[in-house]
Amino acid sequence: MSESPDTRSLVSASSQLNLMDIEAIDDKEFDIPQVDTPPTLDSILNEPEDEDEPFILEDTCLLNAENMDAHPATRPSLASSDSGDRTHMKRRRKAVETNALVHGSVLKHNVLKGISAQMVSAADKVDAGLPTAITVSSVIAVGTSHGLALVFGKDPNQALRLCLGSTAVGAQYGAVSALSINHDCTRLLCGFAKGQITMWDLANGKLLRTITEAHPPGTAILHVKFTDDPTLAVCNDSGGSVFELSFRRVMGVRSCESRCLFSGSKGEVCCVEPLHSSSELRDHPITQYSLLAMASLTKILVIGLKPSLKVWMTFPYGKTDPASVPQLAWQFVLVQKMVNPMLAFCRGDTVHFLLVKKEESGTIHVIKQRQLQLSCDLISLTWINSRTLVLMDSLEKLHVVDRPSHETLETLDMAEVQLVYNSSHFKSLATGGNVSQALALVGEKACYQSVCSYGGQIVYLGTKSVHVMTLRNWRERVDYLLKQEKFVEALSLAWSFHEGTAKAVVGLYGDPAKRKGVVADKMVEILFQYVDRSLKKCPEQGKIQVMEQHFQDMVPVMVDYCLLLQRTDLLFSQIYSRLTENSVARGVFLQSLEPYILSERLGCLTAPVMRDLLGHFQDNGMMESVENCLVHMDITSLDIQQVVQMCWENQLYDAMIYVFNSGMNDYISPMEKLFQVIGPPLREGKSLTDEQVVMGNKLLVYISCSLAGRAYPLGDIPEDLVPLVKNQVFEFLIRLHSMEASQEEEVYPHIRTLLHFDTREFLNVLALTFEDFKNDKQALEYQQRIVDILLTVMVENSDFTPSQVGCLFTFLARQLAKPDNTLFVNRKLFDQVLEFLCSPDDDSRHTERQQVLLELLQVGGVVQFDESRLLYLAEKAEFYQICEFMYEKKHLYDKIIYCYLKDPLRKEEIFNYVHNILSIPGYSHEEKQSVWDRALQHMTELVAISPSKAADLVSLHFSEEVRSIIDRLEDDYMVFQFLKCLLDPREGPNPQAVLRLSPELHELHLGLLCRFSPLQVTAFLKASQDYRLEEAIQITEQQGLQEATAYLLERKGDVQGAFQVLLQTLKDKLTSLTQQSQEEGEELRLQGVESALGDIIALCHRSSHSLNQQQREALWFPLLEAMMSPQKILKGPNWRSTSEALKELTMQVLNSMTSFIALPAVIQRILQDPVYGKGKLAEIQGLILGMLETFNYEQTLLETTTSLLNHDLHWSLSHLRAAVSRGLHPRQDHCSICLQQYRRQHEAQDEIIIFSCGHLYHCQCLQSKECGLVGERLQTWSCYKCTSSQGGRSGERLATETGRGRSTSLAQTKVTSRHRGSYGDLSGRKLFSDATLDAQQSQSWEQLRCIYRGPSRLAILTELSHSGGKEKPSLLNPSQPGSASIFHRENFQLKLSPPPLMEE
């Protein structure tokens, strides 16, 4: 097996890291401040092993606890399994998906067949046993289960060099459980399952030391590791302890001294990792401290062995799965152009990184880096180089991760390796299994001795084979994809190498330019292979669409990478010449160039390709693509005339303009061609076609761009040509006649054409152009010249609409209003325009003319007119917006009201205008008063426009004039609408502005409401309180509104009068029901009866509470008689449905009245009624049965309630009795005052008092603290500790509670103990006294009684039992007026749920 030369040391690995490419996450790293008093080693070791322990750093730094995010993982533990048994180790987890499209295959997997074969042979022939541990340096050492250490060379033959130990020694020491080789590959340390350690000379195979007393006996060696100091090693045993081994040789005698670094009694360590440095980094300032990282079950510790033992930091894991395996790995990394050691550690699915560095001042910082979060449980963590980690999860899948970006590069399944696990050593089976359960659980997945890294290689030990993983170099990764014919992925990966964005890069050396050149040559080679493959794999038969799709998938890839590599020569020569062999490939190639041309990635094509491209597009009718490409390309190599002809014939106007401009620097010819097309139809007054409109718009944009110095359709005109182009365009526009003018042609045809085409846009173009004119004298002359021409063309010609003329003068007004204006325009022209726009003889385009004039005035044109004449003409032309503009300018705000009233389009806006004038500050008192007077004068018109808005305005500003406003309103319906909006807050937007009007106005509104909206009368009466009752009753009686009259009478206190009104209404509806024809409207009449009955029953309900029995009967019995009397008339089958409906309504009356009238009185009244008294029993059978059914329901409800209450009361009392009689359990076995154990007292008898809080006292001690009070029958005690901790008021509270007959404990128990013999055997008896309740228990009892809100259940039962009484004061029949039965309260609810369950 050959080593990669670039991974032998950190320096060689670092040489691959471009020092200019600093890691992207450096900005997320932070320095850690110093602490004042560093903790000592003893303080660290004696800390409780708490998972939530805060992060501690020794000596120089303290990590911010907020940044130490813990990622808990709650997972089930695994069953125990022995070494090599992987079936119980695997756990179902979601594997991280690899992104082969970007990274390809990163790892190369090799099997060391020579070592594997010899390992299996040794097991068979010399009984070496199964492999148990491996370590790698210049040689490979494998430990076996029978105590042998096999040392193999790393030469291609992988020959066995040494076989250390023997099976006899293996029988005595057990299996090899740990191996370590020192840095110069001269010594090998072997740790055994029964605790022994041996040292071997790798040069001659001689046993140098056998160490048996380095650690406590009976524990297996889990780890043994050399440090960089050849005389210093560390070991970790299954007891969780860590020891330092110092090797000495004095006068030829070899010895070993052991020192405990961490005791397993303080927390078990299961992984140790010393910091190793290569020979090039031996002088690094950190190496002098000989750092050692240790991972316990709860935290990470980093200690320095030199110059003296010192704890540098601790780091707790937080909450993790107890079955997860802690992992540690050191590596020197390049961060911020400095090489420093970094510790990676994990337990579970989160990998943390700590960077250790020493400043020039000597301060040592430990910096926490961004943590890596995975979705799998990790069992192995290894650095393969300074930027890449290789992780193995519990499913035996490898994850290759880039540390700076935390991106997973590849995932491999390693199940075939059959990894060796170290479970038997962690369980210490060879010494009897005397380990903690927690360590044994971690050992289920421990494979520390089966994974070893050295020089950029990671070796994995299987049960029958040895495997090695190395990083592929960049060529191997690309070739790996090419072998699978993944050309696109190979090109993508190669481009990432070219750009320096690839991860885990191996094999690229030199400066960036040289590396890019090497990769580019490889990409060119791949492109040629890709072209050949695309032609060979093309389907020879089938539809043309299939062939096109084949090349559309492949050709753009070639174009894209050629452009990325800036190799257009390669693209248009060799690749294009190869693709032209296939006509389909040629067409796809030419079409694929378009998006690159449009995105400016491809600007220059060779002449043959350019001709082929245009020819292909033209042949396939893709003229839009031709235009898009032409305006983005250099066309100097084309035949200009041919291209112009093609563009003109195919209406490619953008391309034609671009060709003229770019190819010939001709900016006038395109305008001439376009004017020739759109000019004639405009002169003839014809409408333009869609194509001609497009040409006209392009012409306007082209003129605008040319005058602004921009090229059309994109880019800029060369700076030296800008003045020339502007002058040419101006000269063209102001030409008196065109080049090929006829005799009939009018002057200035070009400006005339543009004005006819789009006046507003052409003037906008000129306005933008004039903005650029500053001190350019010639340009100012052009400006005046164009204005004169515009006036000449438009004012002296009647072909233009008022809107077009208005646009011109608006444009002129804007120009004249500028402070630096140099234009001159005759004011008479403005007067002519004013006359033209205000012409009263022409009523057409009224709105258009007004808007044009308004716009002209708003941009400053008002200074060009005589204001009085302007106002006169505007009023004459009914231009009310113009009048408003002028009145506002003169501050005649009251006259603006006239403008709004006369303008039919803006009448609704008058209200906002008046409100704003009267409420917004900034107007004088006289101005506001004039507006107020004018608005009041026109209030009748305002109400007619919108009653609601007028009411809002009146309530805000005219509240004192309401009566006078109403008097002016002649129409009653208008008065009604106005009062309705004024009085009803729901109608207006300002409910806070509702007025308190006089009763007369409310009564006026009531009368109008009765006339125009009778259905809303009752709602108004209920909402309003400002009317007089007598007058209101008079109004409703006159209008015949019984419901409203009844409401008013009830409100007056005349219940009987209200009842009679409603009763008469009910009788009338019953009469209409029984007398009219049954066919028409029966359902509606029944609904009317039901509605009237509901109103009268509601009245009786409301009134019965305040009436005596006689008065109640005077209400209810007439109602019952009114309902029963029509039923005698309705006989026969035709009236059956009506009769049944009336019977149901009668039952409704009976059910309602039984709450207020005794049932015997109701039955007696029914039987005495002449209607029913002379009849048969069958006629009233339904009534009687209904009453009996109601009685049965209430009786069942009473019985159920009584049963539930009794059950509830019994349960509560029995539970309380059980709680009072429950035994007490003391917290401790000693007195809380004297602190002596009561079991060790030797007095003949001693009374013990135990409280419910758990405190225990001698009776004499409690008496000495005066914690007892003597009551009438019982001495009452209180707990000394509980009372003394509550502010010293125990005596006062105790006295108070004693007065209430309660004690401070649930049960006070005196235990009399007799101590006999030397062992103090206790025989106790309990002296029970009367149990009483303390304050807390009394409160709990009260809460128990009040579980159900509302009246008590005993009160409910009492009321139910006395409900048959007549006038006795009770909850059901209260004597006080206004009170009501609890059954009638809205919040009354019977809770019939079972009692809550209590845990015993």
Side-chain angles (χ1 to χ4, degrees):
M1 181 188 67
S2 61
E3 280 190 276
S4 176
D6 49 26
T7 56
R8 291 185 179 276
S9 67
L10 180 75
V11 171
S12 59
S14 299
S15 66
Q16 303 172 33
L17 302 172
N18 184 4
L19 292 180
M20 301 300 292
D21 300 335
I22 303 301
E23 296 177 355
I25 63 168
D26 288 344
D27 57 335
K28 295 190 179 180
E29 300 166 350
F30 52 86
D31 291 339
I32 301 156
Q34 300 183 7
V35 298
D36 296 331
T37 55
T40 62
L41 179 60
D42 293 337
S43 67
I44 296 296
L45 300 183
N46 292 327
E47 284 176 350
E49 295 291 337
D50 186 6
E51 288 187 347
D52 296 328
E53 178 187 18
F55 184 79
I56 300 172
L57 273 184
E58 142 70 10
D59 187 31
T60 57
C61 41
L62 175 66
L63 284 182
N64 187 347
E66 293 180 357
N67 294 319
M68 312 305 287
D69 298 329
H71 294 265
T74 54
R75 310 179 184 99
S77 59
L78 299 176
S80 176
S81 61
D82 201 353
S83 175
D85 183 6
R86 300 174 316 283
T87 58
H88 295 88
M89 310 299 167
K90 296 180 180 179
R91 312 175 70 175
R92 294 186 176 274
R93 288 192 174 274
K94 185 179 178 180
V96 179
E97 295 181 359
T98 179
N99 192 352
L101 293 177
V102 176
H103 304 292
S105 177
V106 179
L107 285 182
K108 179 166 62 175
H109 181 188
N110 290 322
V111 181
L112 302 182
K113 296 180 180 179
I115 297 177
S116 302
Q118 295 176 76
M119 196 168 63
V120 173
S121 176
D124 293 339
K125 296 181 179 179
V126 300
D127 194 22
L130 295 174
T132 58
I134 192 169
T135 185
V136 181
S137 182
S138 299
V139 295
I140 299 176
V142 178
T144 69
S145 59
H146 289 177
L148 298 181
L150 308 177
V151 181
F152 300 93
K154 293 178 70 175
D155 52 88
N157 297 326
Q158 302 166 14
L160 178 64
R161 294 186 178 180
L162 297 172
C163 179
L164 307 178
S166 63
T167 54
V169 174
Q172 179 182 357
Y173 292 171
V176 174
S177 58
L179 293 171
S180 178
I181 301 174
N182 62 357
H183 67 90
D184 58 0
C185 201
T186 58
R187 298 288 185 268
L188 172 68
L189 282 176
C190 297
F192 292 89
K194 294 184 179 180
Q196 295 84 356
I197 300 174
T198 59
M199 178 185 285
W200 301 85
D201 187 339
L202 289 178
N204 52 27
K206 181 179 179 183
L207 178 64
L208 303 180
R209 289 181 177 84
T210 299
I211 306 166
T212 58
E213 298 179 353
H215 64 103
T219 56
I221 298 295
L222 300 182
H223 301 275
V224 59
K225 299 283 181 75
F226 272 111
T227 66
D228 282 347
D229 184 351
T231 65
L232 201 63
V234 292
C235 70
N236 174 206
D237 62 17
S238 58
S241 299
V242 181
F243 296 88
E244 177 189 72
L245 306 179
S246 298
F247 306 117
R248 299 287 185 268
R249 184 176 182 182
V250 181
M251 299 180 66
V253 178
R254 291 184 172 89
S255 64
C256 176
E257 296 179 1
S258 174
R259 177 174 62 157
C260 181
L261 301 178
F262 191 94
S263 173
S265 62
K266 303 299 181 182
E268 295 164 309
V269 172
C270 53
C271 180
V272 296
E273 189 67 39
L275 173 63
H276 292 291
S277 58
S278 61
S279 57
E280 293 85 353
L281 290 172
R282 289 296 160 82
D283 295 332
H284 194 280
I286 298 295
T287 58
Q288 60 180 312
Y289 298 104
S290 190
L291 295 187
L292 174 68
M294 301 184 292
S296 73
L297 298 180
T298 59
K299 69 182 76 170
I300 297 293
L301 294 94
V302 177
I303 65 174
L305 302 179
K306 294 180 179 181
S308 61
L309 186 61
K310 190 175 185 180
V311 176
W312 279 33
M313 55 150 278
T314 64
F315 187 100
Y317 301 122
K319 295 182 180 179
T320 57
D321 186 352
S324 298
V325 185
Q327 299 290 332
L328 296 168
W330 286 100
Q331 177 69 30
F332 280 87
V333 299
L334 180 68
V335 177
Q336 296 178 345
K337 300 184 180 181
M338 295 181 63
V339 176
N340 284 301
M342 178 177 287
L343 175 65
F345 62 92
C346 70
R347 187 179 185 191
D349 58 359
T350 305
V351 183
H352 302 271
F353 300 96
L354 292 178
L355 181 70
V356 183
K357 68 177 183 178
K358 186 174 183 180
E359 301 291 348
E360 295 179 359
S361 61
T363 305
I364 295 176
H365 291 278
V366 179
I367 304 171
K368 182 180 182 295
Q369 310 286 290
R370 185 158 56 107
Q371 65 189 25
L372 169 65
Q373 183 70 44
L374 298 173
S375 58
C376 51
D377 188 18
L378 301 177
I379 62 172
S380 174
L381 168 66
T382 315
W383 294 88
I384 197 168
N385 65 18
S386 61
R387 298 176 64 93
T388 312
L389 292 101
V390 178
L391 314 172
M392 179 180 286
D393 62 23
S394 55
L395 298 176
E396 295 188 4
K397 289 186 177 181
L398 284 186
H399 304 268
V400 185
V401 178
D402 180 65
R403 185 197 62 81
S405 64
H406 290 186
E407 187 176 358
T408 301
L409 308 181
E410 187 180 15
T411 300
L412 293 175
D413 192 351
M414 296 289 288
E416 64 178 12
V417 173
Q418 297 183 351
L419 194 69
V420 172
Y421 288 85
N422 312 131
S423 305
S424 61
H425 311 319
F426 272 79
K427 297 178 182 178
S428 197
L429 299 181
T431 59
N434 51 344
V435 298
S436 69
Q437 184 177 359
L439 191 65
L441 183 62
V442 170
E444 297 285 354
K445 296 180 288 186
C447 57
Y448 294 111
Q449 305 302 324
S450 306
V451 183
C452 184
S453 66
Y454 180 78
Q457 303 167 339
I458 305 178
V459 180
Y460 294 90
L461 178 64
T463 54
K464 295 182 180 179
S465 56
V466 177
H467 302 254
V468 62
M469 292 289 180
T470 56
L471 289 176
R472 299 179 187 270
N473 65 39
W474 73 275
R475 286 186 182 275
E476 291 175 340
R477 289 168 64 179
V478 173
D479 291 339
Y480 183 82
L481 293 173
L482 291 176
K483 289 180 181 178
Q484 300 175 351
E485 293 193 346
K486 296 181 179 179
F487 289 90
V488 177
E489 291 85 347
L491 286 168
S492 176
L493 179 60
W495 180 250
S496 66
F497 291 132
H498 184 277
E499 293 299 295
T501 59
K503 314 297 181 185
V505 183
V506 176
L508 276 177
Y509 306 106
D511 59 274
K514 182 178 179 181
R515 286 183 291 177
K516 285 188 175 184
V518 172
V519 177
D521 293 341
K522 180 66 175 178
M523 292 183 69
V524 170
E525 178 186 334
I526 299 172
L527 282 172
F528 283 135
Q529 297 179 25
Y530 191 46
V531 173
D532 293 340
R533 181 177 180 275
S534 67
L535 294 172
K536 291 180 181 178
K537 295 291 183 177
C538 176
E540 297 179 358
Q541 297 179 350
K543 296 182 179 180
I544 192 69
Q545 290 86 353
V546 178
M547 299 176 65
E548 286 182 349
Q549 186 62 45
H550 168 75
F551 286 110
Q552 285 171 1
D553 293 339
M554 306 185 77
V555 170
V557 177
M558 309 172 196
V559 179
D560 199 29
Y561 281 105
C562 284
L563 294 180
L564 287 174
L565 293 172
Q566 299 179 0
R567 293 295 303 273
T568 53
D569 57 327
L570 181 71
L571 179 66
F572 295 136
S573 57
Q574 293 161 283
I575 293 180
Y576 180 58
S577 61
R578 296 288 302 276
L579 292 176
T580 51
E581 299 172 4
N582 187 304
S583 59
V584 177
R586 175 180 174 275
V588 171
F589 176 84
L590 294 173
Q591 291 181 22
S592 66
L593 298 179
E594 181 182 1
Y596 299 100
I597 295 173
L598 299 183
S599 62
E600 305 287 350
R601 292 184 60 188
L602 187 60
C604 184
L605 276 64
T606 60
V609 176
M610 187 73 174
R611 287 192 295 272
D612 291 349
L613 177 67
L614 295 180
H616 175 77
F617 283 160
Q618 197 169 6
D619 294 343
N620 289 274
M622 302 168 64
M623 301 313 298
E624 185 177 354
S625 297
V626 171
E627 184 173 37
N628 294 335
C629 291
L630 277 176
V631 299
H632 287 82
M633 289 191 306
D634 181 7
I635 58 170
T636 53
S637 60
L638 297 178
D639 184 345
I640 300 297
Q641 289 301 121
Q642 181 181 355
V643 174
V644 169
Q645 184 66 25
M646 178 188 69
C647 293
W648 186 255
E649 291 174 355
N650 294 279
Q651 303 170 7
L652 308 180
Y653 304 116
D654 287 352
M656 181 197 70
I657 294 172
Y658 177 80
V659 171
F660 270 114
N661 294 351
S662 300
M664 298 182 289
N665 285 336
D666 184 355
Y667 290 84
I668 303 302
S669 296
M671 286 193 284
E672 291 178 342
K673 284 183 170 290
L674 293 175
F675 271 113
Q676 291 171 3
V677 176
I678 67 172
L682 286 174
R683 285 195 295 270
E684 297 170 7
K686 297 180 180 179
S687 59
L688 299 179
T689 64
D690 293 342
E691 178 192 342
Q692 290 169 338
V693 171
V694 171
M695 294 173 65
N697 289 328
K698 288 182 182 295
L699 179 58
L700 279 176
V701 177
Y702 175 52
I703 292 173
S704 176
C705 290
S706 299
L707 292 176
R710 295 190 302 271
Y712 182 87
L714 48 90
D716 292 305
I717 298 175
E719 291 186 7
D720 56 333
L721 293 178
V722 170
L724 176 62
V725 172
K726 283 186 179 182
N727 292 337
Q728 289 178 354
V729 173
F730 273 127
E731 290 291 342
F732 174 78
L733 291 177
I734 63 178
R735 283 181 185 174
L736 192 63
H737 289 286
S738 58
M739 296 294 294
E740 301 176 358
S742 62
Q743 294 181 354
E744 295 80 12
E745 184 184 70
E746 296 179 286
V747 293
Y748 308 115
H750 299 148
I751 289 182
R752 190 181 300 273
T753 300
L754 292 174
L755 288 172
H756 276 294
F757 176 73
D758 194 330
T759 306
R760 186 178 298 273
E761 289 303 323
F762 176 54
L763 294 176
N764 287 340
V765 169
L766 293 180
L768 291 174
T769 305
F770 290 173
E771 290 291 336
D772 297 334
F773 293 167
K774 297 295 182 181
N775 299 317
D776 189 349
K777 184 177 180 181
Q778 185 178 7
L780 294 175
E781 292 176 358
Y782 279 126
Q783 181 180 353
Q784 182 67 52
R785 178 68 175 144
I786 287 180
V787 168
D788 294 339
I789 293 173
L790 290 173
L791 291 171
T792 302
V793 170
M794 295 194 73
V795 176
E796 297 176 1
N797 196 312
S798 60
D799 294 342
F800 294 95
T801 64
S803 177
Q804 290 174 314
V805 175
C807 287
L808 171 62
F809 281 88
T810 300
F811 162 75
L812 294 177
R814 284 198 180 100
Q815 300 301 320
L816 294 174
K818 291 180 180 179
D820 54 350
N821 172 57
T822 59
L823 288 176
F824 171 77
V825 179
N826 192 342
R827 286 189 59 173
K828 291 183 179 181
L829 293 174
F830 281 91
D831 293 336
Q832 293 177 18
V833 170
L834 181 61
E835 294 285 348
F836 171 70
L837 294 176
C838 296
S839 174
D841 299 331
D842 184 10
D843 293 333
S844 62
R845 302 177 182 263
H846 181 275
T847 304
E848 178 187 346
R849 288 187 283 115
Q850 181 176 213
Q851 291 299 324
V852 168
L853 183 56
L854 181 63
E855 184 179 356
L856 176 59
L857 296 177
Q858 287 173 344
V859 299
V862 69
V863 298
Q864 309 293 335
F865 300 109
D866 181 2
E867 294 185 4
S868 59
R869 177 163 179 77
L870 171 62
L871 190 57
Y872 167 75
L873 291 174
E875 290 176 349
K876 188 177 179 181
E878 297 181 354
F879 287 174
Y880 296 114
Q881 293 185 42
I882 307 298
C883 295
E884 179 187 352
F885 179 83
M886 298 304 298
Y887 287 145
E888 189 168 5
K889 183 176 177 62
K890 296 182 177 183
H891 302 287
L892 300 176
Y893 300 108
D894 56 328
K895 292 190 176 182
I896 295 179
I897 295 178
Y898 166 79
C899 298
Y900 278 106
L901 289 174
K902 293 296 183 180
D903 193 344
L905 299 177
R906 299 193 303 150
K907 282 185 177 182
E908 293 281 342
E909 301 177 16
I910 188 172
F911 302 99
N912 289 333
Y913 174 75
V914 174
H915 171 69
N916 292 336
I917 293 292
L918 296 179
S919 58
I920 295 177
Y923 300 97
S924 67
H925 174 72
E926 291 76 12
E927 292 169 348
K928 290 188 177 182
Q929 186 63 37
S930 64
V931 171
W932 191 87
D933 294 336
R934 184 60 61 92
L936 183 60
Q937 179 183 348
H938 293 282
M939 190 57 70
T940 303
E941 299 171 61
L942 297 182
V943 174
I945 293 172
S946 175
S948 61
K949 293 183 178 180
D952 292 335
L953 192 63
V954 168
S955 63
L956 289 171
H957 303 290
F958 302 90
S959 58
E960 302 296 331
E961 304 293 331
V962 175
R963 186 76 234 187
S964 63
I965 293 172
I966 292 176
D967 293 340
R968 294 180 194 174
L969 299 176
E970 299 176 355
D971 185 13
D972 288 347
Y973 186 71
M974 187 181 296
V975 175
F976 162 67
Q977 287 185 308
F978 177 67
L979 281 174
K980 181 181 178 183
C981 298
L982 205 59
L983 295 175
D984 192 349
R986 292 169 295 178
E987 294 292 332
N990 301 309
Q992 72 278 2
V994 176
L995 295 177
R996 303 290 295 182
L997 301 179
S998 63
E1000 291 83 1
L1001 289 178
H1002 282 83
E1003 292 155 12
L1004 173 62
H1005 179 58
L1006 176 60
L1008 295 172
L1009 200 62
C1010 292
R1011 289 173 55 192
F1012 297 111
S1013 183
L1015 294 179
Q1016 299 180 2
V1017 171
T1018 305
F1020 170 75
L1021 293 173
K1022 292 179 180 180
S1024 177
Q1025 303 293 330
D1026 296 323
Y1027 53 84
R1028 294 168 292 184
L1029 281 176
E1030 293 296 338
E1031 285 75 2
I1033 292 173
Q1034 205 170 11
I1035 294 172
T1036 55
E1037 286 178 347
Q1038 290 175 357
Q1039 299 295 333
L1041 298 178
Q1042 288 86 354
E1043 182 182 355
T1045 305
Y1047 170 77
L1048 291 171
L1049 289 172
E1050 181 185 3
R1051 183 173 172 183
K1052 181 181 176 183
D1054 186 2
V1055 177
Q1056 189 65 35
F1059 176 76
Q1060 292 299 331
V1061 171
L1062 292 178
L1063 184 62
Q1064 185 60 41
T1065 304
L1066 177 63
K1067 288 180 179 180
D1068 293 343
K1069 293 188 176 181
L1070 286 171
T1071 302
S1072 66
L1073 178 67
T1074 56
Q1075 290 181 356
Q1076 294 187 15
S1077 173
Q1078 190 178 1
E1079 298 176 356
E1080 300 177 358
E1082 179 186 2
E1083 185 176 351
L1084 291 176
R1085 292 195 296 274
L1086 268 176
Q1087 290 178 357
V1089 171
E1090 187 174 352
S1091 174
L1093 182 62
D1095 293 339
I1096 198 169
I1097 287 177
L1099 172 66
C1100 294
H1101 261 292
R1102 291 192 300 269
S1103 305
S1104 294
H1105 297 297
S1106 58
L1107 301 177
N1108 57 31
Q1109 190 67 22
Q1110 184 178 359
Q1111 292 170 332
R1112 293 176 184 174
E1113 292 179 357
L1115 288 182
W1116 288 103
F1117 285 141
L1119 174 61
L1120 184 61
E1121 291 173 2
M1123 289 301 301
M1124 291 192 299
S1125 57
Q1127 299 181 31
K1128 267 297 196 182
I1129 305 173
L1130 303 177
K1131 292 185 178 180
N1134 295 334
W1135 296 95
R1136 180 172 299 174
S1137 60
T1138 306
S1139 179
E1140 291 295 330
L1142 289 178
K1143 285 183 180 181
E1144 290 182 6
L1145 295 176
T1146 305
M1147 282 303 303
Q1148 183 179 345
V1149 175
L1150 286 171
N1151 290 336
S1152 300
M1153 66 188 295
T1154 51
S1155 300
F1156 305 98
I1157 308 296
L1159 292 179
V1162 176
I1163 295 177
Q1164 182 179 2
R1165 186 61 177 264
I1166 292 175
L1167 295 177
Q1168 290 176 355
D1169 187 271
V1171 176
Y1172 288 99
K1174 297 179 182 180
K1176 298 179 182 180
L1177 184 63
E1179 296 177 357
I1180 60 172
Q1181 181 181 3
L1183 298 178
I1184 302 298
L1185 289 178
M1187 296 168 65
L1188 291 175
E1189 184 179 353
T1190 303
F1191 170 77
N1192 288 334
Y1193 168 74
E1194 293 180 352
Q1195 184 182 22
T1196 304
L1197 181 63
L1198 175 63
E1199 292 174 353
T1200 304
T1201 307
T1202 306
S1203 174
L1204 288 172
L1205 184 62
N1206 290 339
H1207 179 270
D1208 193 5
L1209 184 62
H1210 175 266
W1211 172 85
S1212 302
L1213 293 175
S1214 62
H1215 178 73
L1216 183 61
R1217 179 182 178 278
V1220 170
S1221 60
R1222 185 177 298 159
L1224 302 179
H1225 178 68
R1227 295 183 183 178
Q1228 63 277 335
D1229 59 354
H1230 59 268
C1231 174
S1232 297
I1233 296 177
C1234 66
L1235 303 179
Q1236 295 184 4
Q1237 294 187 352
Y1238 66 85
R1239 294 179 180 176
R1240 299 183 180 178
Q1241 295 289 333
H1242 298 290
E1243 291 81 357
Q1245 188 173 11
D1246 186 26
E1247 292 184 351
I1248 305 300
I1249 297 179
I1250 305 171
F1251 291 91
S1252 59
C1253 57
H1255 295 129
L1256 178 146
Y1257 304 93
H1258 293 109
C1259 181
Q1260 295 178 355
C1261 297
L1262 208 55
Q1263 287 176 346
S1264 66
K1265 297 296 183 180
E1266 298 180 352
C1267 289
L1269 290 178
V1270 179
E1272 295 178 358
R1273 296 183 301 167
L1274 176 69
Q1275 184 173 8
T1276 307
W1277 300 97
S1278 63
C1279 177
Y1280 171 71
K1281 273 197 168 184
C1282 297
T1283 56
S1284 63
S1285 64
Q1286 297 179 7
R1289 295 189 291 177
S1290 59
E1292 179 183 349
R1293 189 177 67 255
L1294 182 62
T1296 304
E1297 292 173 350
T1298 306
R1300 295 177 182 172
R1302 299 171 181 170
S1303 69
T1304 58
S1305 65
L1306 180 64
Q1308 297 178 4
T1309 306
K1310 292 183 179 180
V1311 181
T1312 304
S1313 58
R1314 296 181 179 274
H1315 304 275
R1316 299 175 181 176
S1318 58
Y1319 295 101
D1321 295 333
L1322 174 64
S1323 62
R1325 59 186 179 87
K1326 289 186 177 181
L1327 301 178
F1328 292 102
S1329 60
D1330 293 339
T1332 57
L1333 301 180
D1334 62 8
Q1336 182 179 5
Q1337 295 150 4
S1338 298
Q1339 183 181 1
S1340 301
W1341 169 238
E1342 291 297 332
Q1343 291 176 353
L1344 185 64
R1345 292 176 59 191
C1346 298
I1347 288 176
Y1348 300 99
R1349 294 184 178 179
S1352 68
R1353 298 183 181 182
L1354 288 175
I1356 297 173
L1357 285 178
T1358 303
E1359 181 172 3
L1360 289 174
S1361 64
H1362 294 292
S1363 62
K1366 294 189 177 179
E1367 294 299 327
K1368 296 180 180 180
S1370 66
L1371 293 169
L1372 185 64
N1373 295 318
S1375 60
Q1376 299 296 328
S1379 63
S1381 168
I1382 58 173
F1383 299 114
H1384 299 146
R1385 297 176 191 167
E1386 293 181 357
N1387 60 353
F1388 172 74
Q1389 291 182 349
L1390 270 180
K1391 299 182 173 61
L1392 304 181
S1393 59
L1397 296 177
M1398 301 292 291
E1399 295 183 0
E1400 295 298 335

